[in-house]
Amino acid sequence: MASTLLASMAIMLSSLIAVLMSNRYRSPADSSIYGDNKELTLTLKFFSILSILALTPHAMEAQILDYTLVPLGLLIMVGYHIWLLYQVVNHPSTTVIGFHAINRRFWVSAMMEESPKNGVLAVQTLRNNIMASTLLASMAIMLSSLIAVLMSHQGGYSSPGGFVYGDKSELTLTLKFFSILVCFLLAFLFNVQSIRYYSHASILINVPVQKKNQQGQSRHRHHHLTVDYVGRTVNRGGYFWALGLRAFYFSLPLFLWIFGPIPAFVSCFVLVLMFYFLDVTFDFRGVSNASDDNDHDDGEEEDVG
């Protein structure tokens, strides 16, 4: 409505200026004007105003695209991830993230059952995960530094105007760079947390576990608590690694926003379609969800800081 009102005002004023030009409107008396008041100069003045008013609807339309398509695309991605979170919590066996979390707990239990035999294998596997998180964290902080340099030297950088259909103002360009910077910083923080949990798990997974003995009901319960705690620690490392990847994914439409709101919106839609086929699994729906109840008991024990 607001854009329609402004466009109507612009075309109405353009018509008024055109009528004044066609009627050869005369300028005020010489006593009230200090400057050239010839008919040619007056015509140039009217023509300049008319040009500005004619371009106003196009500029407003370009700005409206930035303020509608980009938030709409990001809202679609956020809505998808809210749905994914609901599926992971309530129906984990239907999602790749939830299914891997179930099997990571089984893996931890198997490794800790025969710790002297499987200790090297467990530590090597966790070290590989730490290296992957370290690589992503290094890439994120490097890209963050690059974006910060571009923002600090923005006076020498201009938007690719010939390829951009949208708002090309300096404020919007700064907002684009800042959004990308936030995504990379979040990716760095998530991957650092992933490294933290994997590092804790690499120590805890080699803790000797007492088998059940004749005295051992209490020790047996302690054994299961230890396995559950280590399993939750490994899963948290996996969750933060997945969040770090999602932060990288979110940076793609924000990067394409530099080239206009239309590529950003299209990339959001394409990413959601890709996420659905990557996140949903139809092969393991029969997996029991009984072991997932332990995920809701995270508050029973303190995290090792």
Side-chain angles (χ1 to χ4, degrees):
M1 290 295 291
S3 299
T4 304
L5 177 61
L6 290 176
S8 301
M9 291 177 59
I11 198 66
M12 182 180 64
L13 292 174
S14 300
S15 302
L16 178 60
I17 296 297
V19 169
L20 290 176
M21 292 176 66
S22 64
N23 291 330
R24 296 182 177 275
Y25 173 77
R26 300 185 60 84
S27 94
D30 296 343
S31 58
S32 60
I33 293 183
Y34 183 76
D36 190 359
N37 57 356
K38 295 180 180 179
E39 184 176 353
L40 176 60
T41 304
L42 187 61
T43 302
L44 290 176
K45 294 176 182 178
F46 281 140
F47 182 77
S48 300
I49 300 173
L50 182 62
S51 301
I52 294 174
L53 292 175
L55 292 175
T56 298
H58 181 272
M60 289 300 300
E61 180 184 357
Q63 291 182 355
I64 290 299
L65 284 179
D66 278 276
Y67 301 146
T68 54
L69 287 184
V70 176
L72 180 60
L74 295 178
L75 185 62
I76 292 174
M77 293 187 65
V78 171
Y80 167 80
H81 283 90
I82 292 175
W83 172 83
L84 179 63
L85 177 62
Y86 174 82
Q87 292 294 114
V88 170
V89 172
N90 296 281
H91 309 286
S93 61
T94 63
T95 64
V96 173
I97 296 176
F99 183 75
H100 287 178
I102 295 172
N103 285 276
R104 274 194 296 262
R105 285 200 300 273
F106 291 157
W107 176 79
V108 169
S109 178
M111 292 296 104
M112 296 186 71
E113 286 291 339
E114 299 182 7
S115 181
K117 179 180 178 181
N118 298 324
V120 176
L121 174 62
V123 171
Q124 182 68 31
T125 303
L126 291 173
R127 188 176 70 175
N128 292 339
N129 290 325
I130 291 175
M131 292 177 62
S133 298
T134 303
L135 176 62
L136 291 180
S138 302
M139 290 178 57
I141 198 64
M142 180 182 65
L143 292 172
S144 299
S145 304
L146 178 61
I147 296 298
V149 169
L150 288 176
M151 292 180 66
S152 62
H153 295 83
Q154 191 173 333
Y157 177 83
S158 59
S159 175
F163 300 96
V164 176
Y165 182 75
D167 192 359
K168 304 174 186 178
S169 65
E170 185 175 350
L171 177 62
T172 303
L173 188 61
T174 302
L175 180 61
K176 295 173 183 179
F177 282 135
F178 180 76
S179 302
I180 301 172
L181 178 62
V182 169
C183 283
F184 288 147
L185 289 177
L186 287 176
F188 171 75
L189 293 176
F190 287 145
N191 282 285
V192 166
Q193 288 299 312
S194 176
I195 295 171
R196 170 179 175 257
Y197 279 111
Y198 281 140
S199 298
H200 290 329
S202 65
I203 300 297
L204 297 174
I205 203 168
N206 284 319
V207 173
V209 175
Q210 295 289 338
K211 299 288 185 181
K212 181 179 178 181
N213 52 32
Q214 296 178 354
Q215 307 175 356
Q217 296 298 329
S218 61
R219 290 184 179 180
H220 188 60
R221 288 194 296 271
H222 177 71
H223 157 64
H224 280 289
L225 286 175
T226 302
V227 171
D228 289 341
Y229 178 77
V230 178
R232 286 197 298 271
T233 302
V234 174
N235 271 339
R236 288 171 185 169
Y239 292 149
F240 276 110
W241 184 76
L243 288 173
L245 279 179
R246 299 292 159 149
F248 275 107
Y249 292 148
F250 265 83
S251 68
L252 176 61
L254 295 175
F255 174 76
L256 292 178
W257 189 18
I258 296 177
F259 301 96
I262 296 177
F265 177 78
V266 172
S267 65
C268 289
F269 188 75
V270 172
L271 280 176
V272 167
L273 292 178
M274 183 188 72
F275 286 155
Y276 180 79
F277 290 103
L278 292 178
D279 293 331
V280 177
T281 177
F282 302 97
D283 299 329
F284 306 102
R285 289 182 180 272
V287 176
S288 174
N289 297 335
S291 60
D292 297 309
D293 295 336
N294 295 328
D295 283 341
H296 304 289
D297 300 331
D298 290 345
E300 294 179 359
E301 299 183 31
E302 295 286 333
D303 289 344
V304 178

